Amino acid sequence: MTTTVTSHRTRPPAQPPTLRARRLPKYVAPAIALAALLVAAAIVYGTGIGGPVLVVVIGALLYLGGLFAAANAVEGRRSARNRTWSALIHSAFVLAVLPLASVVWTLVSKGLERFDGNFFLTSMNNIGARDPEGGAYHAIVGTLMQVGIATLITVPLGILCAIYVVEYGRGKFAFAIRFFVDVMTGIPSIVSGLFVLAFWVLIVSPYFNDGRPGFSGFAAALALSVLMLPTVVRSTEEMLRLVPAPLREGAYALGVPKWKTILRIVLPTALPGIVTGVMLAIARAAGETAPVLLVAGGGAAINFHPFENNQSSLALFVYQQAGDASRYAPARAWTAALTLVALVLILTIAAKLLARRNRLGR
């Protein structure tokens, strides 16, 4: 009896399927960016057609092209397009941040020259063109008083207006309010100054000043409140509309009156956004020059009375010092600009912390 033995060829074990695709090494993108900048610098400086800005622009274009070519060769066309668009978005972000970083660096580097006690504790009263001393104490006082009064006027009025539009307003009257608020958002600051000059300074103030028109810090606050009002109204309106409707409906179902629902539920829920809008309005008002120049007149002396005599502000102080012929004036202007930015930043942080604390406390 013959036994037949069948031999089978030994097969190698099957490889498990993998989901990993080919990827560019991590060092390729930085290498392409460096090479692109070097080539762009050689082109720009070799031909003499521009400076560092043009080097960055041409380098970015070369980088995008090189990255697409390398990714297309290794990862495929689809992944290459994804990488290119991601790099384009990141490049746009960097290009947007660079001017801001440049402004901050210039402001800090030039503003620290006069960042001393004399600048913050003295005014420009009796300071001549050859005197290196003198500070912005009077302008700081004016800015705080004018912006403070404008905030006290604008914030309650703007929030109440937004509450009416969102919670109660219906029909043509609410539409008219929204329309005029939108129109006021785009008016130039000089127009608000002219309005207060024609109404308050020339018509109303003579009744309190022996028949003579008078400049004052309060008039500047009125002009600033005209600029702040549309920002406060629009930002508050949008924040109130973002409050979920079930919160209101739950309060109504429990028998809570509408005014108490708005006061206890709607406003606290929208408070962080409202604070942000108010701080944006304050930042705009603090940086305005034309209204203060028209209705407050400016001045070199310290004035603590908002209803009498001329009053300056930090924005107006920067404008005046930037145009002064004294060689000591530019340093004062840069330090005043740095002080204005720092003041707005401190107020914004304080308002944010206060709103956050109140929100957590509920």
Side-chain angles (χ1 to χ4, degrees), residues 10 16 19 44 63 66 85 90 97 103 118 217 225 232 250 255 270 292 295 338:
T10 304
L19 296 178
V44 172
Y63 168 70
W85 280 107
H90 287 91
V97 170
V103 170
N118 179 266
S225 65
V232 175
V292 182
V295 300
L338 178 61

Side-chain angles (χ1 to χ4, degrees), residues 61-73:
L61 295 177
L62 293 176
Y63 168 70
L64 292 175
L67 182 64
F68 178 82
N72 187 40

Side-chain angles (χ1 to χ4, degrees), residues 114-301:
R114 283 297 316 277
F115 208 82
D116 50 33
N118 179 266
F119 182 83
F120 293 101
L121 298 177
T122 60
S123 67
M124 291 298 295
N125 200 23
N126 298 324
I127 299 296
R130 297 183 179 181
D131 193 343
E133 302 296 328
Y137 180 64
H138 62 298
I140 296 173
V141 170
T143 296
L144 292 176
M145 295 183 68
Q146 294 163 18
V147 174
I149 294 174
T151 302
L152 292 176
I153 296 173
T154 307
V155 171
L157 185 61
I159 292 177
L160 290 175
C161 181
I163 289 174
Y164 172 78
V165 170
V166 175
E167 303 292 340
Y168 297 97
R170 298 292 183 273
K172 296 182 179 180
F173 185 64
F175 175 78
I177 292 177
R178 295 192 191 96
F179 174 76
F180 283 111
V181 168
D182 291 338
V183 171
M184 289 177 62
T185 303
I187 63 171
S189 58
I190 191 71
V191 175
S192 67
L194 289 173
F195 169 73
V196 175
L197 177 67
F199 171 69
W200 180 267
V201 176
L202 298 180
I203 297 178
V204 178
S205 65
Y207 290 100
F208 306 97
N209 199 26
D210 298 329
R212 292 177 291 119
F215 293 158
S216 64
F218 181 74
L222 291 179
L224 296 179
S225 65
V226 174
L227 297 175
M228 293 173 61
L229 184 61
T231 303
V232 175
V233 173
R234 291 298 293 170
S235 60
T236 305
E237 179 185 350
E238 294 301 324
M239 291 302 105
L240 293 179
R241 292 187 187 279
L242 291 177
V243 177
L247 292 179
R248 297 180 176 88
E249 295 169 357
Y252 299 153
L254 294 174
V256 181
K258 188 171 185 176
W259 67 270
K260 188 173 288 187
T261 301
I262 296 171
L263 186 63
R264 297 294 182 87
I265 297 176
V266 177
L267 285 179
T269 305
L271 184 60
I274 295 174
V275 170
T276 301
V278 170
M279 295 313 302
L280 289 175
I282 290 176
R284 182 191 178 184
E288 291 294 343
T289 303
V292 182
L293 181 62
L294 278 176
V295 300

Side-chain angles (χ1 to χ4, degrees), residues 6-56:
T6 305
S7 62
H8 297 278
R9 183 178 298 177
T10 304
R11 297 179 181 179
Q15 297 293 331
T18 177
L19 296 178
R20 293 186 178 181
R22 297 175 62 188
R23 303 286 295 176
L24 280 177
K26 294 182 179 180
Y27 62 85
V28 172
I32 294 175
L34 180 60
L37 286 176
L38 292 177
V39 173
I43 294 174
V44 172
Y45 291 114
T47 57
I49 59 176
V53 176
L54 188 59
V55 169
V56 173

